[in-house]
Amino acid sequence: DVYKRQVLDFSKIDNGKLDIHKEIFVLDELLELITTLYTPTIEKKELVLVKEIDKDMTKYIHSDFLRIKQVLTNLISNAIKFTPEGKNIIIKTIPNKQSISLMVLDEGIGCDEKIDLFAPFKRVGNEKGAGLGLFLAKSAADTLGGCISIKNRTDGIQGTIATLELQSNPTCKI
């Protein structure tokens, strides 16, 4: 159950014991796994999912698969939750020299940038949830040495841009 796992992770964070287990995996494959999990919901809401995945994301990386999955799952889930039927969600990757940016752009309601969306038990709107998702996502990102942000889009489209930025590590050769 999602809520039980969130409460367990919250307890680990509260005790300073959020664990990291690094392994070698392909980031593109992780993104494909997550988007496949949400395909039925995306289709039900008649959303259009666009993936702009840089070719460098097909290389192996060394990080915590489950923690990155946790963060991206939350960001994509929120985008789906707050985006009206028939609108677009874009998943975009941008590799930089020292970091990798994973972005989820939606055409939803936008956000109030004055409030701390990452505070525990913070809920926005009338949507279901424990209010722990973004708190846990930020804690996981922090533990990985990355950062997470949510801002309103500035490209003339209403919605948000949620970004997970991770420090680059040399890609692994297998």
Side-chain angles (χ1 to χ4, degrees):
D1 180 59
V2 173
Y3 298 122
K4 286 180 185 175
R5 192 184 75 237
Q6 285 182 336
V7 170
L8 179 61
D9 280 348
F10 179 78
S11 176
K12 287 179 182 179
I13 292 164
D14 196 41
N15 291 313
K17 297 185 179 183
L18 188 65
D19 50 342
I20 295 294
H21 300 285
K22 289 191 174 187
E23 58 188 291
I24 297 170
F25 63 95
V26 178
L27 192 55
D28 179 46
E29 291 175 2
L30 172 58
L31 290 167
E32 190 61 37
L33 170 72
I34 295 168
T35 55
T36 299
L37 291 172
Y38 284 106
T39 297
T41 308
I42 290 167
E43 289 175 352
K44 185 178 179 182
K45 279 189 82 171
E46 299 179 5
L47 299 172
V48 177
L49 179 65
V50 178
K51 292 188 261 183
E52 297 177 8
I53 310 300
D54 187 276
K55 64 180 172 38
D56 285 340
M57 296 298 104
T58 60
K59 296 177 183 170
Y60 293 95
I61 67 168
H62 187 243
S63 192
D64 189 313
F65 180 90
L66 290 176
R67 293 294 170 208
I68 293 175
K69 180 178 180 252
Q70 177 183 22
V71 174
L72 294 175
T73 298
N74 182 269
L75 299 180
I76 293 168
S77 171
N78 284 343
I80 293 168
K81 190 186 301 186
F82 292 106
T83 300
E85 289 184 8
K87 297 288 186 170
N88 299 310
I89 295 173
I90 300 169
I91 298 173
K92 188 176 197 174
T93 60
I94 302 173
N96 304 302
K97 284 187 177 189
Q98 296 180 350
S99 64
I100 300 168
S101 294
L102 302 145
M103 305 168 80
V104 180
L105 296 84
D106 67 45
E107 295 181 6
I109 60 173
C111 66
D112 182 349
E113 294 181 13
K114 294 175 191 154
I115 63 172
D116 182 4
L117 297 171
F118 301 105
F121 308 108
K122 185 60 148 181
R123 293 182 50 211
V124 178
N126 297 323
E127 298 296 329
K128 293 189 301 184
L132 286 173
L134 286 175
F135 171 77
L136 295 174
K138 181 174 182 343
S139 297
D142 291 347
T143 303
L144 292 168
C147 64
I148 189 170
S149 65
I150 299 178
K151 305 217 177 288
N152 287 309
R153 291 179 66 162
T154 58
D155 59 358
I157 299 172
Q158 181 176 343
T160 59
I161 301 173
T163 304
L164 169 63
E165 190 166 326
L166 298 169
Q167 295 304 309
S168 298
N169 60 315
T171 53
C172 304
K173 293 185 170 106
I174 293 183

